[in-house]
Amino acid sequence: MSEISVTLPDGSSRRVPAGSTPADIAAGISPRLAKAALAATVDGRMVDLTFPLTKDALVTIVTTDSPEALHVYRHSTAHLLAAAVTNLFHGVQCGIGPATDEGFFYDFVVPRPFVPEDLDAIEKKMKELASQDLPYERQMWPREEAIRFFTERGEPLKVQLIEEKTAGQAEVSCYTIKDRDTFVDFCIGPHVPSTGRLKGFKLLTTSNAYWKGDAHNQPMQRVYGTAFFTDKELQTHLQRIEEAKKRDHRKLGRELGLFTFHQWAPGAAFWLAKGTTLYNTLANYMRDVLFPAGYVEVKTPLVYNKALWERSGHWKHYRQNMFLIESEGETMSIKPMNCPGHFLTYASEVRSYRDLPIRYHEQTPLHRNEPSGVLSGLTRVRQFSQDDAHCFVTQEQIGEEVERLIRLVQRVYADFGLPFTAKLSTRPDEFLGEIATWDHAEAQLKAALDRAQLSYELNAKDGAFYGPKIDFDITDALGRKWQCATIQLDYQQPENFDLKYVGADNSEHRPVVIHRAIVGSFERFIAILVEHYAGAFPLWLAPVQAILLPIADRHVDYARTVRDRLAEAGIRAELDGRQEKIGYKIREAQLQKIPYMLVTGDREAAEGTVSVRSRAGGDQGSRPIVDFVGAALAEMAAKGETDPGLAAAS
């Protein structure tokens, strides 16, 4: 029998018979590895442990310690879910069942919607199938046999997938669990060796869905679940889900009186008084950060003729996401982004190299025609505003400007107490411009990241077609990552809009545009903040920073004077003058997550003090008003730093 050479990740190699499998390789290394093996990669391609090796190859055994393992594990659990559903419910059609970052889902065509009792029964059946340790087996079927099999089985959606994805192929890949009668699916895999490997899984919820996500197609029921290698990991995740439900910005937004929605304005928030204060605080904070950094604020039109979008390229590639308007025979659009307006602003006068960098900042509303099915609270809306900016620079200024932007990102996220990671995305396979220009731009981005002493992940070939970029992911209190800030170099739009500046040589040159956002959409960022802080905003962000709680009616006038003094000092304060017991008022203020409660009674009125209660620390004792004001202002100024004043005591 002929032999082949297998190279392992540590660089060592061994000779094995041709036709050996990754399972054989793992067993030859150690019984422990053979037991831990879930799948393998062969020359970078993910395969099952039963994949036959017919030529020399680089082989890596995938275990639970491998970054790829959880995806395989969850994909296999999705198949286990489908096997349970098809065994329990006759006449079910299977759609698709991918793994996701949070778990997995599977779509089904069923006679009636699933109810909670169905999920319990399905999960019980999944555990039964897992306990039987049934094998996952990849089978290569003649294409026509596969089409005939799924047609006779009454699964036209599978037939459609096979016809679309395997055109020109003689064979198609199908996976069984035990046998065709127990479960079979058209799938390229790979999967774990058997159902007994699946230990920690949980079904979570169901929702309506449509085949291929198109509302014109077959209605379906989607079952969501999650899976982890151990039950301990699963329980930790489930606890995190419960905590996320408590922190849901849609729930807290109602309870805290921040915003609401109405069916007549889908995807657009109604900002209530407290929410508007929060929104404006965030918007003004960004102005306070940007203006000293050399930005100027501009306001550009909301509606443009389609000629603008044709020039920018959005009409061809983005029109379906734009709200269109007909006016006097002209087709117009409400702007979905600020970039083209800033290009026109830049081009409105002659620019010199001495003027650059020019930094435009804008917060006017934007509108995108998102499908109604994807709208979700503040995280996916149709109307929003951004801390949007465009910097116009020379080629030589790219590195310095990007470094400045990175330091702005670092400062802003530090003020919110949000850790972050960075990714550098480089030239994709399909790109515009010259390779030398791309190499120069990428080198400047790398140098800027290094000068800022910021570690980053290299995202090779993931840049935009018009230029490389740096993206930033923040991590919230629940460990969830959110992509927010972005720094994108753009060489294409200056060409489209014929942007110029007069250089030191008195000749015309083309500027480079840097698209920049730090918090991104205010709506989405506020949703993140609500959930990150669980609605208990730090003092500087809180819509109501302090509330005056008079013990009796005779203390209301004094409480009102205190509130006015706080307002004069720049502290957002309210007065609860209701004829309620003080304990009730304190509980109400706690539920509204107000940072400080200031109780006023006979003693406080006589001494010119307030009795301070902290949201987190309870009773802080009596203090002169001036002391409270000074400490509160110091805490507000500290933002994300250790609170130097009252909060330190709490």
mmCIF file of all heavy atoms in Angstrom, residues 535-551:
data_model
loop_
_atom_site.group_PDB
_atom_site.id
_atom_site.type_symbol
_atom_site.label_atom_id
_atom_site.label_comp_id
_atom_site.label_asym_id
_atom_site.label_seq_id
_atom_site.Cartn_x
_atom_site.Cartn_y
_atom_site.Cartn_z
ATOM 1 N N GLY A 535 -29.047 50.893 32.630
ATOM 2 C CA GLY A 535 -29.871 52.074 32.884
ATOM 3 C C GLY A 535 -29.346 52.969 33.985
ATOM 4 O O GLY A 535 -29.842 54.088 34.154
ATOM 5 N N ALA A 536 -28.355 52.495 34.742
ATOM 6 C CA ALA A 536 -27.783 53.295 35.838
ATOM 7 C C ALA A 536 -26.596 54.074 35.294
ATOM 8 O O ALA A 536 -25.430 53.718 35.507
ATOM 9 C CB ALA A 536 -27.361 52.390 36.992
ATOM 10 N N PHE A 537 -26.885 55.159 34.599
ATOM 11 C CA PHE A 537 -25.841 55.932 33.932
ATOM 12 C C PHE A 537 -24.915 56.594 34.946
ATOM 13 O O PHE A 537 -25.339 56.963 36.045
ATOM 14 C CB PHE A 537 -26.468 57.015 33.053
ATOM 15 C CG PHE A 537 -27.334 56.481 31.951
ATOM 16 C CD1 PHE A 537 -28.715 56.572 32.042
ATOM 17 C CD2 PHE A 537 -26.781 55.883 30.835
ATOM 18 C CE1 PHE A 537 -29.525 56.078 31.043
ATOM 19 C CE2 PHE A 537 -27.578 55.382 29.830
ATOM 20 C CZ PHE A 537 -28.955 55.476 29.931
ATOM 21 N N PRO A 538 -23.644 56.750 34.574
ATOM 22 C CA PRO A 538 -22.763 57.545 35.439
ATOM 23 C C PRO A 538 -23.294 58.970 35.535
ATOM 24 O O PRO A 538 -24.062 59.419 34.682
ATOM 25 C CB PRO A 538 -21.418 57.487 34.711
ATOM 26 C CG PRO A 538 -21.748 57.137 33.296
ATOM 27 C CD PRO A 538 -22.976 56.292 33.357
ATOM 28 N N LEU A 539 -22.870 59.665 36.564
ATOM 29 C CA LEU A 539 -23.461 60.964 36.884
ATOM 30 C C LEU A 539 -23.448 61.912 35.696
ATOM 31 O O LEU A 539 -24.434 62.596 35.418
ATOM 32 C CB LEU A 539 -22.720 61.591 38.069
ATOM 33 C CG LEU A 539 -23.298 62.909 38.587
ATOM 34 C CD1 LEU A 539 -24.705 62.709 39.131
ATOM 35 C CD2 LEU A 539 -22.399 63.515 39.663
ATOM 36 N N TRP A 540 -22.347 61.954 34.938
ATOM 37 C CA TRP A 540 -22.241 62.942 33.861
ATOM 38 C C TRP A 540 -23.228 62.685 32.737
ATOM 39 O O TRP A 540 -23.614 63.598 32.030
ATOM 40 C CB TRP A 540 -20.815 63.010 33.341
ATOM 41 C CG TRP A 540 -20.356 61.850 32.493
ATOM 42 C CD1 TRP A 540 -19.866 60.660 32.931
ATOM 43 C CD2 TRP A 540 -20.320 61.797 31.072
ATOM 44 N NE1 TRP A 540 -19.533 59.861 31.873
ATOM 45 C CE2 TRP A 540 -19.794 60.535 30.708
ATOM 46 C CE3 TRP A 540 -20.677 62.692 30.055
ATOM 47 C CZ2 TRP A 540 -19.620 60.132 29.393
ATOM 48 C CZ3 TRP A 540 -20.509 62.303 28.734
ATOM 49 C CH2 TRP A 540 -19.982 61.036 28.410
ATOM 50 N N LEU A 541 -23.677 61.433 32.581
ATOM 51 C CA LEU A 541 -24.605 61.075 31.513
ATOM 52 C C LEU A 541 -26.060 61.045 31.962
ATOM 53 O O LEU A 541 -26.971 61.158 31.143
ATOM 54 C CB LEU A 541 -24.245 59.687 30.964
ATOM 55 C CG LEU A 541 -23.323 59.581 29.761
ATOM 56 C CD1 LEU A 541 -23.102 58.116 29.420
ATOM 57 C CD2 LEU A 541 -23.892 60.319 28.560
ATOM 58 N N ALA A 542 -26.299 60.857 33.241
ATOM 59 C CA ALA A 542 -27.659 60.630 33.734
ATOM 60 C C ALA A 542 -28.586 61.789 33.356
ATOM 61 O O ALA A 542 -28.251 62.956 33.587
ATOM 62 C CB ALA A 542 -27.638 60.463 35.248
ATOM 63 N N PRO A 543 -29.747 61.503 32.779
ATOM 64 C CA PRO A 543 -30.687 62.569 32.423
ATOM 65 C C PRO A 543 -31.102 63.407 33.632
ATOM 66 O O PRO A 543 -31.205 64.622 33.548
ATOM 67 C CB PRO A 543 -31.877 61.816 31.830
ATOM 68 C CG PRO A 543 -31.317 60.517 31.362
ATOM 69 C CD PRO A 543 -30.230 60.177 32.326
ATOM 70 N N VAL A 544 -31.373 62.737 34.748
ATOM 71 C CA VAL A 544 -31.622 63.421 36.019
ATOM 72 C C VAL A 544 -30.489 63.018 36.951
ATOM 73 O O VAL A 544 -30.332 61.844 37.275
ATOM 74 C CB VAL A 544 -32.986 63.029 36.629
ATOM 75 C CG1 VAL A 544 -33.186 63.744 37.967
ATOM 76 C CG2 VAL A 544 -34.120 63.369 35.666
ATOM 77 N N GLN A 545 -29.696 63.992 37.375
ATOM 78 C CA GLN A 545 -28.513 63.681 38.170
ATOM 79 C C GLN A 545 -28.783 63.681 39.665
ATOM 80 O O GLN A 545 -28.105 62.979 40.424
ATOM 81 C CB GLN A 545 -27.406 64.676 37.827
ATOM 82 C CG GLN A 545 -26.964 64.558 36.362
ATOM 83 C CD GLN A 545 -26.072 65.692 35.910
ATOM 84 O OE1 GLN A 545 -26.297 66.845 36.290
ATOM 85 N NE2 GLN A 545 -25.073 65.392 35.101
ATOM 86 N N ALA A 546 -29.763 64.447 40.083
ATOM 87 C CA ALA A 546 -30.117 64.501 41.504
ATOM 88 C C ALA A 546 -31.594 64.841 41.622
ATOM 89 O O ALA A 546 -32.151 65.544 40.768
ATOM 90 C CB ALA A 546 -29.276 65.540 42.247
ATOM 91 N N ILE A 547 -32.220 64.336 42.667
ATOM 92 C CA ILE A 547 -33.633 64.642 42.894
ATOM 93 C C ILE A 547 -33.806 65.086 44.338
ATOM 94 O O ILE A 547 -33.249 64.479 45.269
ATOM 95 C CB ILE A 547 -34.534 63.433 42.566
ATOM 96 C CG1 ILE A 547 -36.004 63.842 42.646
ATOM 97 C CG2 ILE A 547 -34.226 62.223 43.440
ATOM 98 C CD1 ILE A 547 -36.945 62.848 41.999
ATOM 99 N N LEU A 548 -34.535 66.169 44.511
ATOM 100 C CA LEU A 548 -34.828 66.709 45.843
ATOM 101 C C LEU A 548 -36.063 66.031 46.403
ATOM 102 O O LEU A 548 -37.117 65.991 45.741
ATOM 103 C CB LEU A 548 -35.025 68.211 45.785
ATOM 104 C CG LEU A 548 -33.767 69.101 45.817
ATOM 105 C CD1 LEU A 548 -33.023 68.915 47.128
ATOM 106 C CD2 LEU A 548 -32.856 68.829 44.642
ATOM 107 N N LEU A 549 -35.943 65.499 47.627
ATOM 108 C CA LEU A 549 -37.042 64.766 48.248
ATOM 109 C C LEU A 549 -37.410 65.418 49.576
ATOM 110 O O LEU A 549 -36.852 65.081 50.635
ATOM 111 C CB LEU A 549 -36.632 63.301 48.476
ATOM 112 C CG LEU A 549 -36.137 62.521 47.248
ATOM 113 C CD1 LEU A 549 -35.718 61.116 47.644
ATOM 114 C CD2 LEU A 549 -37.207 62.485 46.172
ATOM 115 N N PRO A 550 -38.333 66.381 49.568
ATOM 116 C CA PRO A 550 -38.771 66.991 50.831
ATOM 117 C C PRO A 550 -39.566 65.986 51.662
ATOM 118 O O PRO A 550 -40.372 65.227 51.125
ATOM 119 C CB PRO A 550 -39.638 68.163 50.379
ATOM 120 C CG PRO A 550 -40.065 67.824 48.994
ATOM 121 C CD PRO A 550 -38.984 67.004 48.399
ATOM 122 N N ILE A 551 -39.331 65.986 52.974
ATOM 123 C CA ILE A 551 -40.009 65.035 53.857
ATOM 124 C C ILE A 551 -41.484 65.403 54.016
ATOM 125 O O ILE A 551 -42.358 64.530 54.036
ATOM 126 C CB ILE A 551 -39.310 64.992 55.228
ATOM 127 C CG1 ILE A 551 -37.889 64.418 55.053
ATOM 128 C CG2 ILE A 551 -40.111 64.173 56.233
ATOM 129 C CD1 ILE A 551 -37.057 64.434 56.315
#
